[in-house]
Amino acid sequence: MKRLQWSHHREANRRLAEHGLSLVQWDVLRHLHQQPDATLHTLAELTFQTDQSMGALAKRMIERGLLKRVAGPGRATRHHLTGEGERAFEAGSSVLESVLAETVGTLTEAERAVLHELLIKAAGSR
């Protein structure tokens, strides 16, 4: 499993670079697309980063025009995707779909269902 994950990450990063993105940046865009009101702390947790590293990444993504800061309740600062961020998310999503199609996508539907069941079972046995 880990070897496949590494292969996915390497290939996704290589192809995302053509769009000016890294896998980590696309992951932030993906989570903000799914949860537009996520806090910086939530984004850090979702992307397996520290609050500090997520803050630095968000700052760079703001400078590139992918994100914008939005005032939240109290002192909370939220981030939203800009139009450019949405376009980058969509382009990155196509990249990730193609990477997965070339690996897991070569399995039959029945094989993918079994794989999914086994992964869910293994994750639940912790």
Side-chain angles (χ1 to χ4, degrees):
M1 284 189 307
K2 198 64 175 172
R3 199 171 321 160
L4 179 60
Q5 182 185 33
W6 287 335
S7 172
H8 283 160
H9 286 191
R10 279 192 310 273
E11 187 60 19
N13 266 318
R14 187 184 71 72
R15 294 183 193 182
L16 286 168
E18 297 170 10
H19 298 278
L21 291 173
S22 69
L23 184 56
V24 174
Q25 291 169 328
W26 176 80
D27 200 30
V28 170
L29 296 173
R30 176 176 68 98
H31 285 294
L32 274 176
H33 179 80
Q34 293 170 344
Q35 298 180 44
D37 288 326
T39 64
L40 200 61
H41 176 72
T42 299
L43 287 172
E45 288 179 336
L46 290 170
T47 59
F48 303 100
Q49 299 183 66
T50 65
D51 289 356
Q52 184 177 358
S53 62
M54 183 62 236
L57 178 59
K59 182 177 185 237
R60 290 191 306 274
M61 292 176 78
I62 289 167
E63 290 168 356
R64 287 194 48 211
L66 300 172
L67 306 179
K68 63 182 174 183
R69 283 198 172 100
V70 179
R75 294 177 38 173
T77 301
R78 312 282 176 153
H79 293 82
H80 287 184
L81 297 180
T82 62
E84 183 60 29
E86 279 288 343
R87 285 186 289 281
F89 164 71
E90 294 297 333
S93 295
S94 294
V95 166
L96 270 288
E97 286 172 16
S98 69
V99 169
L100 290 173
E102 294 166 12
T103 56
V104 178
T106 63
L107 301 175
T108 66
E109 189 173 329
E111 290 169 331
R112 285 193 306 273
V114 169
L115 176 61
H116 184 256
E117 282 180 41
L118 292 172
L119 291 171
I120 296 297
K121 183 177 181 180
S125 65
R126 299 180 348 179

